[in-house]
Amino acid sequence: MISPDEKIKNAVMEIKKTIPPDVILQAAAKTRSLEEVEAVIQAGVVHIGYNYVQESLPIIQKVGKRAIFHMIGHLQRNKAKTVVANFDIIETVDSIQLAQDIDRHAKALNKIMPVLIEVNSGREDNKTGVLPEEVEDLAIKISELKSLRLEGLMTMGPRFGNPDDSRVYFSTTRKIFERLSEMDIPNVNLKWLSMGMSNSYQIAIEEGANIIRIGTKLFGER
Ligand SMILES: *Cc1c(COP(=O)(O)O)cnc(C)c1O
């Protein structure tokens, strides 16, 4: 019998074998227990992503500085304060109002909050994120806020059975990333392209992702 911890450890090793060493493997931990999160940390995963603030707080309290916590779910403005206080990076900034809230709370905590802009690369009505043509404008506005620093872009993209269908959404996001990088906006330090999940991370890496967010393939089905 192989224990749940060993299963997670094996999954981490399997994924690490298939990705370049400079790509960050982030564990998408929604619905997972503290034991599962501890197991993934024991297996060497440092970056942990959460979609929901409420679920994340007890885990963040127990894990503390042993991991780097990413907010990867839609962030409501009334939760910004808690997220700034507890997370290390916010991947889902999609409005200037939210960015201003983050800036204000970060300033109060004497902190500079790293953020990514979430891109609605599939132009889906029901999805969060900003449309591709709106990213540049939001990036420039964010660059004027002193207590947060824009460090990259994140996208989900539509879900497909065939992961190759995701490619065009990842490449769209990478092109925006490249254009923004060339603009050399002051106070913007673009480093991260967060794209790809369990079924699509290989395609995402081919299209330039250097953070992949993996749930199912690490922990099993939800
Ligand atoms: C759940 C989730 C993932 C991981 O999805 P899997 O298909 O389970 O790997 C990645 N990103 C976000 C934003 C998620 O909510």
Side-chain angles (χ1 to χ4, degrees):
M1 261 295 278
I2 128 165
S3 73
D5 283 17
E6 277 175 280
K7 242 178 153 168
I8 289 174
K9 194 170 173 187
N10 289 342
V12 170
M13 287 194 315
E14 284 306 311
I15 295 169
K16 285 210 165 157
K17 258 192 250 166
T18 64
I19 67 175
D22 57 333
V23 171
I24 288 176
L25 168 59
Q26 176 188 153
K30 59 175 173 284
T31 76
R32 311 300 176 171
S33 67
L34 175 64
E35 290 70 27
E36 289 173 294
V37 174
E38 286 288 3
V40 89
I41 293 170
Q42 284 304 312
V45 173
V46 177
H47 294 260
I48 310 286
Y50 271 101
N51 299 64
Y52 307 108
V53 179
Q54 218 173 0
E55 177 188 24
S56 70
L57 291 182
I59 311 260
I60 293 176
Q61 234 145 50
K62 295 205 177 71
V63 171
K65 294 293 167 206
R66 289 182 291 131
I68 296 168
F69 287 96
H70 296 235
M71 170 46 65
I72 59 172
H74 179 59
L75 177 53
Q76 290 164 318
R77 289 177 61 193
N78 63 6
K79 302 266 168 65
K81 185 176 182 181
T82 310
V83 168
V84 169
N86 289 281
F87 281 75
D88 300 291
I89 177 165
I90 301 172
E91 296 199 15
T92 48
V93 172
D94 63 356
S95 73
I96 187 61
Q97 290 80 10
L98 175 60
Q100 285 163 342
D101 288 345
I102 294 168
D103 182 59
R104 187 160 44 85
H105 296 304
K107 190 173 178 185
L109 291 173
N110 225 340
K111 184 168 176 174
I112 302 219
M113 193 73 204
V115 302
L116 311 185
I117 291 176
E118 182 180 358
V119 184
N120 180 358
S121 56
R123 318 186 71 87
E124 296 167 281
D125 286 340
N126 58 342
K127 280 272 172 75
T128 52
V130 300
L131 293 173
E133 64 273 19
E134 296 170 345
V135 177
E136 195 175 304
D137 184 51
L138 180 57
I140 291 169
K141 286 182 175 143
I142 287 179
S143 76
E144 289 159 11
L145 303 172
K146 295 296 176 235
S147 298
L148 85 185
R149 188 168 51 234
L150 181 58
E151 294 194 344
L153 304 178
M154 177 271 210
T155 199
M156 296 274 284
R159 284 243 184 200
F160 294 105
N162 178 0
D164 207 51
D165 293 338
S166 299
R167 186 183 295 279
V168 62
Y169 304 100
F170 297 148
S171 72
T172 295
T173 308
R174 189 224 327 131
K175 284 173 194 155
I176 300 168
F177 183 93
E178 286 169 352
R179 203 181 57 230
L180 278 182
S181 300
E182 282 163 13
M183 288 171 65
D184 225 350
I185 307 168
N187 193 36
V188 170
N189 180 11
L190 294 179
K191 296 190 278 198
W192 307 120
L193 200 41
S194 173
M195 325 192 279
M197 314 198 291
S198 290
N199 74 340
S200 60
Y201 72 90
Q202 268 141 335
I203 307 282
I205 291 170
E206 286 170 22
E207 295 301 331
N210 58 6
I211 299 177
I212 56 173
R213 308 179 310 268
I214 310 291
T216 311
K217 219 177 151 77
L218 276 178
F219 299 109
E221 295 292 337
R222 277 189 298 280

